[in-house]
Amino acid sequence: MPVESVFPRLEALLPHVQKPIQYVGGELNSTVKDWDACDVRWALMYPDAYEVGLPNQGVMILYEVLNEREGVLAERTYSVWPDLEALMREHGVPQFTVDAHRPVKAFDVFGLSFSTELGYTNMLAALELAGIPLEAKDRTVDDPIVVAGGHAAFNPEPIADFLDCAVVGDGEQAVLDITEIVRAWKAEGRPGGRDELLLRLARTGGVYVPRFYDVEYLPDGRIGRVVPNTPGVPWRVSKHTVMDLDEWPYPKQPLVPLAETVHERMSVEIFRGCTRGCRFCQAGMITRPVRERSITGIGEMVEKGLKATGFEEVGLLSLSSADHTEIGDIAKGLADRYTEDKVGLSLPSTRVDAFNIDLANELTRNGRRSGLTFAPEGGSERIRKVINKMVSEEDLIRTVATAYGNGWRQVKLYFMCGLPTETDEDVLQIAEMAKNVIAKGREVTGQNDIRCTVSIGGFVPKPHTPFQWAPQLGVEETDARLAKLRDAIRSDRKYGKNIGFRYHDGKPGIVEGLLSRGDRRIGAVIRAVYEDGGRFDGWREHFSYDRWMDCADKALAGSGVDVDWYTTRERSYEEVLPWDHLDSGLDKDWLWEDWQDALEEVEVDDCRWTPCFDCGVCPQMQTEIQIGPTGKKLLPLTVVNQG
Amino acid sequence: MPEGPPPAPAVQRIRLRYTKRGRLRFTSHRDFQRAFERALRRSAVPMAYSAGFTPHPKVSYANAAPTGVASEAEYLEIALTEERDPERLRAQLDASLPPGLDVVDAVEVRTPNLADRLQASVWRIRLDGVSPEEAERAAAAFLAAESVEVERLTKNGVRVFDTRGAVASLEVSDGRSGDGARGGAEGGADVRPGRACAILRLVVRHATPAVRPDDVLSGLRATADLAPPVPAEVTRLAQGPLDEESGTVTDPLAADRAAASAVPPATAGPRATATA
């Protein structure tokens, strides 16, 4: 039966809302397939505003992988802003996809990608607008299967009540596997209803179905154990790892929106995973091992992608892009190919070393040299050892000198506040570092107008990292430390005026911390916040710390645990962590040893160029490091001018 | 600081007419600019660029319709570093833009000042839930008035201005009878039986301050209490030179077309279609 488009009803509301173009779809390279010709239908959501969600690579990749399949369709949906939400509620217009404006409830699977925990309230808004019961237990065979993915899904426990299932790790192959299971179950006439489908998914060992696990608590509030309650359900659920990125050259046809979005560029993921071993970095820990896309694979993706999009900038994405074994040749090859076409290249996430200045010079051959960004993360040598960010102040100053010598005039430095073992002294070192940077810049250039911007935010301990046991720094302490740093910078007569200071206060970090390391009891808090009007928690103008704290007080009353218990409390070795039954491949004992090494300021090297140090991922997941060099080069493109 | 060579000079200029149809009427002008410049890149159009640190392709836009208003007649002009056949270029850009943003006409520039020729617009305003009789009464009252002052919130605060003077003509038809059916890509099935619907067709001079279709609607509300129950659907049908006697708006690209057929172009090429 065809599903009716809600567009005519939506259209009448659009003249009354801000930026209506974000709701109309019609993006270049978007796909609308025949509903009746498909037997498995996915609605994919990035639970934030369109302008943030559209460029998300994860959703774009899955959208294309699914739509390429015969008999499978995928459409996208994003969070609607409060102005449209109010009108949709008033006029009974349900949550819709932007592709064909079909109601989300009509799909078989509703997949949400969580890059951050701050999208949880937006998920509840979308479910309610869609007419899907908020809690999984209340859903019927007519409701879609609600599945979460993305980095935050590595601890899905806080949203366990609202999810039918979660998938951890790379999604490309996983969505196809789920599709086949759904297809077979539907073809058989949906035997056993929803439970049977979820059971089939759970038995693969790669799909976590929260309802098949019971959580038992100890009298002190800690978790006693997490046990499967259904036969055939595995004790631990494995993450998915895609090997050989060249086999998965997605997105091939990146979406080009009409509305303005946060990243307007052609992005190519040049490798996945990172083994630098920064101990605060969840992304680096959960995406191991490193798998490079080849230089030629990258060249092809850029060429096809630019033709398909007309973007004027190429972003070479990864967790630490300068670490690709052939990054020099990639940058030079692409710059050679596209200088004429005025295509800019950008390399987000680079490390502090002089090599990166050469790269940056290459990337800006014919353009502006305004600012370079580095992330030393910690102000003192000592704290950088704790977090395993192996960069010395001498390295930084040398790098900065090269940068200023090459015509760059501004350096941006990123830091975190509240790292384990951190003292005021560690943070005040940031001011010294910024002063030294400016002094060096003045020395090298002979000019006074040298800028250095310090940007600092609160550290949030994350699951599946060595810091998963660490106490988070409280709001007052964080803010007090940031204030001291601000004063130290502003009071400096010689350099103060040249140092920009940008910081995030400690409040959002505490909520993020609560959601990151929370367990199933946090679901009630999220629901209470949502019901009180909480939405768009990643947006300063919508986020309300007081609402979160009030709702947490009420929802956790009588449970013996509170926000501090989840955030500023240090965990012990024995404690069962809420995410222990989700297997990222990291050996928990190795993580603990790394945590102890952190406390002793012992650094760990990168396994790409030193022997394996047994983090556990490769043997556990049957994966391996895949890196070059391939020795190949990017040849000039034969120019065929059309028109 | 690296200094590039000076940008290649423009050797040809082309004027294009494009549309904003259907749901893409919600495209803002900024959105359209980004989409158009990307279409130029995808189509490998040999654009002339401005000089300077951040070179921009040379595109001039004229008098864009407001966000939310559909249009059959938007105009822009581009400068090229190599000559191209206007019709082939048009087809290429049209294929490269999403359906709804359609490039429907192209001429080589032979005369100056396109913007000066855009003297008036023809607008169609579809008022669902308003009976033609009610709309007739309002139109008559509006046309009978010497001036009709309305307020609009601008960047510089609330402005009060006359809307009557700019309106060269205002006619009403019945949206159910079919004579107001929408054209081309919007789909012809715009006749919605069972519900009253009036269609206004108005010719408005481009004045300062600009009088927009919603200002005329405010004027109708002010003079005759016309209050449509749902938002009006507005389409610009044409813009161009205004023949004051007949009250018609003519093709602003006609002068370029005439000049092109009078003087054969310097380079040979299949141009027959451009004069169609």
Side-chain angles (χ1 to χ4, degrees), chain B residues 8-274:
Chain B
V11 300
Q12 186 190 30
R13 289 173 197 276
I14 291 183
R15 288 178 181 152
L16 300 167
R17 175 160 75 94
Y18 67 95
T19 68
K20 269 180 18 177
R21 288 170 173 159
R23 66 176 66 164
L24 292 200
R25 72 178 184 277
F26 294 109
T27 311
S28 73
H29 185 53
R30 271 168 55 86
D31 297 334
F32 176 79
Q33 288 178 318
R34 276 195 313 276
F36 183 71
E37 283 167 27
R38 282 175 191 151
L40 290 170
R41 301 180 76 96
R42 287 192 295 274
S43 309
V45 176
M47 290 299 296
Y49 276 81
S50 62
F53 244 5
T54 41
H56 288 290
K58 289 191 172 176
V59 186
S60 15
Y61 301 88
N63 198 31
T67 306
V69 167
S71 179
E72 291 293 309
E74 301 293 290
Y75 293 89
L76 59 80
E77 189 175 309
I78 58 177
L80 309 184
T81 57
E82 289 168 34
E83 293 213 11
R84 286 290 183 269
D85 173 61
E87 171 54 23
R88 277 185 60 194
L89 183 76
R90 181 205 66 74
Q92 219 174 22
L93 285 171
D94 184 42
S96 187
L97 282 165
L101 300 180
D102 300 327
V103 185
V104 292
D105 200 357
V107 297
E108 191 172 0
V109 174
R110 298 301 183 99
T111 63
N113 301 340
L114 173 70
D116 291 350
R117 248 173 277 153
L118 302 179
Q119 294 166 348
S121 288
V122 184
W123 302 97
R124 184 183 56 214
I125 304 180
R126 187 187 164 88
L127 300 170
D128 268 307
V130 174
S131 73
E133 297 73 30
E134 194 185 348
E136 284 284 7
R137 269 195 303 279
F142 180 88
L143 290 171
E146 190 86 341
S147 77
V148 178
E149 297 216 314
V150 301
E151 288 183 353
R152 194 208 298 160
L153 193 63
T154 69
K155 269 175 272 179
N156 306 319
V158 176
R159 262 192 100 147
V160 179
F161 57 98
D162 173 44
T163 57
R164 174 62 191 91
V167 175
S169 70
L170 168 56
E171 291 159 19
V172 179
S173 61
D174 190 342
R176 288 171 307 179
S177 66
D179 60 344
R182 291 192 256 184
E186 282 179 284
D190 197 36
V191 181
R192 301 164 203 173
R195 190 173 187 201
C197 173
I199 289 184
L200 310 182
R201 183 189 166 93
L202 57 154
V203 175
V204 182
R205 290 184 197 90
H206 297 166
T208 311
V211 173
R212 303 189 311 204
D214 51 321
D215 297 322
V216 177
L217 286 175
S218 305
L220 289 166
R221 183 189 286 252
T223 46
D225 265 344
L226 186 76
V230 295
E233 278 179 39
V234 182
T235 306
R236 173 187 266 155
L237 297 175
Q239 57 175 330
L242 174 67
D243 179 27
E244 287 284 353
E245 283 200 7
S246 66
T248 53
V249 173
T250 59
D251 180 4
L253 302 184
D256 291 305
R257 240 190 295 276
S261 53
V263 186
T267 54
R271 306 214 171 207
T273 46

Side-chain angles (χ1 to χ4, degrees), chain A residues 5 7 11-12 14-16 20-21 24-28 98-101 256-261 264 306-312 341-343 364-369 407 641-643, chain B residues 1-2 4 22-28 30-32 34-35 37-39 41-46 49 53-55 67-68 82 84 88 92 95-99 101 182 230-233:
Chain A
S5 165
F7 193 72
E11 193 174 21
L14 293 183
H16 305 291
I21 187 68
V24 309
E27 301 90 348
L28 187 74
V98 295
D99 299 285
H101 294 90
V256 186
L258 285 159
E260 191 165 11
T261 61
E264 303 261 324
L306 285 176
K307 271 194 190 139
T309 60
F311 280 135
E312 48 266 63
D341 301 332
K342 300 182 176 60
V343 171
T364 56
R365 236 190 256 169
N366 282 347
R368 193 198 302 255
R369 286 187 184 162
N641 237 344
Q642 316 159 16
Chain B
M1 207 59 68
R23 66 176 66 164
L24 292 200
R25 72 178 184 277
F26 294 109
T27 311
S28 73
R30 271 168 55 86
D31 297 334
F32 176 79
R34 276 195 313 276
E37 283 167 27
R38 282 175 191 151
R41 301 180 76 96
R42 287 192 295 274
S43 309
V45 176
Y49 276 81
F53 244 5
T54 41
T67 306
E82 289 168 34
R84 286 290 183 269
R88 277 185 60 194
Q92 219 174 22
S96 187
L97 282 165
L101 300 180
R182 291 192 256 184
V230 295
E233 278 179 39

